Amino acid sequence: MMSMDPVTPGAPTPRETPPAFAPYRWATPLADIAARHGLQPAQILRFDGNVPPLPGVPQIPLSESFARLNEYPEGSYRELREAAAAYAGVADPECIVVGAGADDLIAIIARTYLAKGRRSMIVAPTYPVYRIASLVENASIAEIGTLDAVQCRAAAVVWLCNPNNPTGEKLSPAEIASFARALPDTLLVVDEAYVEYGGDTVVPLVAELPNLVVLRTLSKAFGLAGLRVGYAIAQPQVAAELTARRSPAPITIPSARIGAAALRSPRTDVEETVAERDRIRAALLAAGYDCPESFANFIFVPLAAAAAKADELEARGLMVRRFPNGIRITPRLPGDNDVLLAALGAGEEGAADRAAAEARRSATVIRTTTETALRISLKLDGKGRARVLTGIGFLDHLLTLMTFQSGADLDLLAGGDLDVDEHHTVEDVLAALGDAYGQALGARSGVTRYGSAVVPMDEARATAAVDLVKRPHAEIALAFTGDRVGGLALTLLPHALERFTMQAGFTVHIDAAGDDDHHVAEAAFKALGRALKQACEVTSTGVRSTKGEA
Ligand code: PMP
């Protein structure tokens, strides 16, 4: 019999891209970085993502958003467009195009206005996706250092990021307007992803300039990058051209609803991020670094040996974004930022610095034992937001409730030997949280000192009383009727709360009882959170103790 060589069919040939095309490269995932340096994921602090450290809080019931997953979204996204128009200050929702993040809109703009034989001009160095989207459309690309109308005369599209990623610098609306007026046949795309952090918007110019498109996103100031919601603002005929070329339903129903609610009543981290951005920059300048003023949620630090510095930081679990000529740092909670500043040799030294650090009332505790690895970033004067991931769902829930009631911000990541049991994780997490409280309070000067709360949860009821004076003592009486809730052995809770108390150096009394163990535990953690909030509050009169300073 004749044997025939099997013919391996070749893969179909994709549409060509220019040789310069290279896909977007994400930063290395956390788990890979940890593995590379023999660290636990909890030991890594990411300053490289240009997103806020804590997630935005959905302001509508999540169940409502997930109730109709069998249906398609309403394809005109009217609610979202109306919310975006009102937020951005444009009267007509027909000026708004929505997309799955600003990235989606960049691709739609490229698809609409670029092609082989058309020229795309990029004001560089900047966000790499303009280049990628232009090359996918086979446009010719050129990079320019400044927004210069003479150089852009032949361009179909000019991309400008304002404030710019990665430098943080900004251009004035007047400069942008005169450029757009000089080139009426060129589409000028102004990416305002970071405008909330100190940029000057050009949205008011859209009414007058038919060649202007402004990009916005909910990924930055709103803390909702995971939702993938972005929008563009342009005159209605341009918006219609873009909408005609977008996919029919790019944004999921939950994303569109949560996004619209966020735009209607913005609750952002801008103030805190800007304060930390400016503090980090001042500390770096004082330590001899050179960094330009930033109007975004990051700082660019020019460095001759950027790669070496980034490597050195990475080996210590501190991730910054690296560029050939510098590193980019996105602020996190103050305690985290202090860890990075210390690693950069820009830590605080003098008494005034220490007093300033104390006033920030923030702490970062990173701890690894053979049983667990965990990181806690705590900021006492926060907004009650928590991101808690311990691997034990009910513990996450309890700490989230406690944080909400306490008004602090908490980012807690723990990985423990849960395959053995949850004992070590529960205990270590609460002990480290106690340490974080102790550190964040510092000398405890000026705090209210006492706090108490009674919290009912249906049939259950808890009382908590806290004294911050440094005489550690715990009286914890949680009257559970069973052994477990979810993955958590309830017997661990009193002991863990005791550890919290001892490590923090507080006096804590908690009593809780009821028929439903779930409620008993919830009431106890909520009451503790409320009592802590009261006790930690700063008073003008200082710590009240008949024996002098606590
Ligand atoms: N534009 C700029 C300038 C960015 O830096 C980023 C994200 N890093 C984006 C757009 C992407 O935004 P989105 O998450 O909305 O796609």
Side-chain angles (χ1 to χ4, degrees), residues 94-97 105 107-113 187 210 213 234-247:
E94 299 307 309
C95 293
I96 306 287
V97 188
L105 291 153
I108 295 168
I109 292 167
R111 190 182 304 152
T112 308
Y113 291 96
L187 189 81
V213 179
Q235 288 195 1
Q237 69 276 22
V238 176
E241 292 291 346
L242 297 173
T243 299
R245 288 163 178 83
R246 73 153 160 80
S247 66

Side-chain angles (χ1 to χ4, degrees), residues 227-268:
L227 285 186
R228 312 303 303 130
V229 181
Y231 57 99
I233 303 153
Q235 288 195 1
Q237 69 276 22
V238 176
E241 292 291 346
L242 297 173
T243 299
R245 288 163 178 83
R246 73 153 160 80
S247 66
I251 306 174
T252 67
I253 291 177
S255 292
R257 298 205 63 208
I258 296 168
L263 287 161
R264 279 194 296 264
S265 43
R267 280 172 40 188
T268 70

Side-chain angles (χ1 to χ4, degrees), residues 24 26 49-51 99-106 126-130 161-165 191-194 215-220 224-226 228-231 298 328:
Y24 184 76
W26 283 101
N50 285 2
V51 290
D103 284 343
D104 194 20
L105 291 153
I106 293 168
T126 193
Y127 185 49
V129 172
Y130 314 135
C161 186
N162 193 45
N164 188 34
N165 175 7
D191 184 343
E192 294 191 345
Y194 301 99
L215 296 182
R216 295 281 188 88
T217 177
L218 272 69
S219 297
K220 309 298 174 184
L224 298 171
R228 312 303 303 130
V229 181
Y231 57 99
F298 48 79
R328 195 192 64 198

Side-chain angles (χ1 to χ4, degrees), residues 4-60:
M4 287 187 46
D5 282 344
V7 178
T8 313
T13 311
R15 192 176 63 161
E16 71 184 52
T17 47
F21 173 76
Y24 184 76
R25 283 189 55 196
W26 283 101
T28 314
L30 192 109
D32 296 0
I33 293 163
R36 186 186 295 164
H37 298 287
L39 299 169
Q40 298 292 329
Q43 292 173 278
I44 312 275
L45 280 169
R46 298 206 81 136
F47 298 87
D48 61 343
N50 285 2
V51 290
L54 289 168
V57 180
Q59 294 171 58
I60 48 165

Side-chain angles (χ1 to χ4, degrees), residues 166-226:
T167 59
E169 293 157 330
K170 69 174 176 182
L171 288 184
S172 73
E175 279 172 274
I176 296 170
S178 75
F179 176 89
R181 284 189 199 113
L183 295 177
D185 296 329
T186 297
L187 189 81
L188 174 62
V189 182
V190 179
D191 184 343
E192 294 191 345
Y194 301 99
V195 73
E196 284 92 347
Y197 297 99
D200 300 314
T201 184
V202 291
V203 166
L205 297 172
V206 167
E208 165 208 338
L209 295 167
N211 60 334
L212 179 63
V213 179
V214 183
L215 296 182
R216 295 281 188 88
T217 177
L218 272 69
S219 297
K220 309 298 174 184
F222 288 86
L224 298 171

Side-chain angles (χ1 to χ4, degrees), residues 138-448:
N138 269 292
S140 65
I141 56 168
E143 294 191 346
I144 43 173
T146 50
L147 194 62
D148 171 23
V150 175
Q151 290 188 74
C152 291
R153 218 175 270 139
V157 177
V158 174
W159 306 88
L160 173 74
C161 186
N162 193 45
N164 188 34
N165 175 7
T167 59
E169 293 157 330
K170 69 174 176 182
L171 288 184
S172 73
E175 279 172 274
I176 296 170
S178 75
F179 176 89
R181 284 189 199 113
L183 295 177
D185 296 329
T186 297
L187 189 81
L188 174 62
V189 182
V190 179
D191 184 343
E192 294 191 345
Y194 301 99
V195 73
E196 284 92 347
Y197 297 99
D200 300 314
T201 184
V202 291
V203 166
L205 297 172
V206 167
E208 165 208 338
L209 295 167
N211 60 334
L212 179 63
V213 179
V214 183
L215 296 182
R216 295 281 188 88
T217 177
L218 272 69
S219 297
K220 309 298 174 184
F222 288 86
L224 298 171
L227 285 186
R228 312 303 303 130
V229 181
Y231 57 99
I233 303 153
Q235 288 195 1
Q237 69 276 22
V238 176
E241 292 291 346
L242 297 173
T243 299
R245 288 163 178 83
R246 73 153 160 80
S247 66
I251 306 174
T252 67
I253 291 177
S255 292
R257 298 205 63 208
I258 296 168
L263 287 161
R264 279 194 296 264
S265 43
R267 280 172 40 188
T268 70
D269 269 332
V270 167
E271 225 177 281
E272 293 86 340
T273 302
V274 164
E276 281 301 285
R277 174 193 76 196
D278 294 345
R279 175 174 82 85
I280 295 171
R281 177 166 177 261
L284 290 173
L285 289 174
Y289 289 90
D290 155 43
C291 35
E293 187 174 9
S294 169
F295 300 93
N297 68 344
F298 48 79
I299 299 155
F300 187 77
V301 188
L303 287 173
K309 181 58 85 181
D311 284 344
E312 183 194 316
L313 293 169
E314 190 181 305
R316 301 164 76 160
L318 304 170
M319 294 294 301
V320 295
R321 189 76 172 205
R322 56 180 74 204
F323 292 87
N325 59 338
I327 57 173
R328 195 192 64 198
I329 299 168
T330 307
R332 299 175 53 89
L333 294 184
D336 300 344
N337 301 334
D338 289 340
V339 175
L340 181 66
L341 285 173
L344 284 166
E348 281 152 331
E349 280 150 21
D353 284 347
R354 277 197 299 278
E358 184 142 309
R360 285 194 291 281
R361 307 210 312 162
S362 178
T364 296
V365 173
I366 300 175
R367 179 156 312 153
T368 52
T369 65
T370 44
E371 286 111 11
T372 55
L374 60 86
R375 172 171 57 75
I376 291 182
S377 307
L378 175 73
K379 181 175 174 231
L380 292 184
D381 305 299
K383 292 183 175 159
R385 286 154 322 165
R387 187 181 72 138
V388 182
L389 294 166
T390 64
I392 307 167
F394 191 52
L395 182 64
D396 296 356
H397 177 62
L398 293 175
L399 293 175
T400 302
L401 292 177
M402 174 177 154
T403 306
F404 182 75
Q405 296 299 334
S406 74
D409 283 341
L410 174 70
D411 184 16
L412 192 164
L413 189 62
D417 55 351
L418 291 176
D419 48 328
V420 179
D421 73 5
E422 69 270 28
H423 189 113
H424 295 128
T425 301
V426 177
E427 193 176 320
D428 291 355
V429 162
L430 273 135
L433 185 60
D435 280 334
Y437 260 93
Q439 284 179 33
L441 281 166
R444 299 171 196 202
S445 44
V447 294
T448 305

